[in-house]
Amino acid sequence: MSLYGLLVFSAIYMLAVASPGPGVAAVIARSLAKGTRGAPAFIAGFLVGDLIWFSFAATGLAALAQSAHTVFVVVKYAGAAYLLYLAYKLWTAPAVAADEAPDLEQGQKPFQLFLGSLALTLANPKTMVFFLALLPTVVSLEQLTLLGFVEMVVAISILLPLTLGAYVLLAARARRVFKSATAVRRINRGTGAAMACAAVAVATR
């Protein structure tokens, strides 16, 4: 895939990972209570879950691009519209302090933490919907090669741990920030505005 496509994919994916949601809320809530202990295993579960959903979306869309071009074009623009919808939902989302998130702690053993976050990701099909919306707008899927697929997998494998890891460190050191509904609202609106700009950019390229 082109460098431009990979950079756009990486930028929008990072915004999506950073956007407050069940995964981010769980990471912050756990870090507020437990600090950095167990964080690598917890984040690994989210990563494996995202890679599973990404694989389903990429292989399915690649097949569609090769067999039904018109339908694929419709999916592409519907994807851009969905990204704008996500931006709107982020901007208007109610501000809920991170320490009010449900307790997803399932034990202190790394494998238990991994299974807990993996189950949370796989139980949320919106992750695959996001990939279905994003991929057609940034990647020429009818020409997607194994190398292009691997490049996106590497990008996901780097960006998700870095982004969630940053939340872990910030939450562990700045408890008051993520306990503030005002701070959560600002994060929502900031990522929502950035997501809207990205959606417009990929729809008009």
Side-chain angles (χ1 to χ4, degrees):
M1 62 184 300
S2 68
L3 177 61
Y4 173 82
L6 182 60
L7 290 176
V8 173
F9 170 81
S10 299
I12 299 178
Y13 176 72
M14 187 169 64
L15 284 173
V17 174
S19 301
V24 169
V27 168
I28 294 175
R30 186 178 185 281
S31 300
L32 288 172
K34 308 291 184 180
T36 60
R37 184 176 55 185
F42 200 55
I43 292 174
F46 289 111
L47 174 60
V48 172
D50 269 26
L51 290 175
I52 290 172
W53 284 128
F54 167 75
S55 299
F56 284 145
T59 54
L61 285 173
L64 180 62
Q66 293 176 358
S67 61
H69 179 71
T70 301
V71 175
F72 178 76
V73 172
V74 172
V75 170
K76 174 179 178 177
Y77 286 104
Y82 180 72
L83 295 180
L84 286 174
Y85 169 75
L86 290 180
Y88 169 77
K89 293 293 289 183
L90 282 168
W91 186 270
T92 59
V96 179
D99 60 352
E100 297 176 24
D103 183 10
L104 297 175
E105 182 70 55
Q106 297 192 18
Q108 292 300 311
K109 294 182 178 180
F111 187 64
Q112 291 176 306
L113 295 173
F114 171 83
L115 289 179
S117 54
L118 176 62
L120 176 64
T121 305
L122 294 181
N124 182 16
K126 289 183 179 180
T127 304
M128 187 173 73
V129 173
F130 169 77
F131 284 125
L132 289 172
L134 173 60
L135 289 174
T137 64
V138 298
V139 182
S140 180
L141 286 167
E142 64 271 20
Q143 300 176 353
L144 181 63
T145 64
L146 178 60
L147 178 60
F149 179 86
V150 171
E151 288 173 344
M152 288 185 284
V153 166
V154 171
I156 292 171
S157 300
I158 293 173
L159 293 172
L160 185 144
L162 284 179
T163 304
L164 294 186
Y167 271 120
V168 169
L169 294 177
L170 287 172
R173 297 182 180 183
R175 297 171 61 90
R176 293 182 180 180
V177 173
F178 293 104
K179 287 187 175 182
S180 166
T182 300
V184 173
R185 182 182 294 109
R186 289 174 179 170
I187 294 173
N188 279 340
R189 292 187 173 181
T191 52
M195 182 75 74
C197 292
V200 173
V202 298
T204 57
R205 54 174 298 211

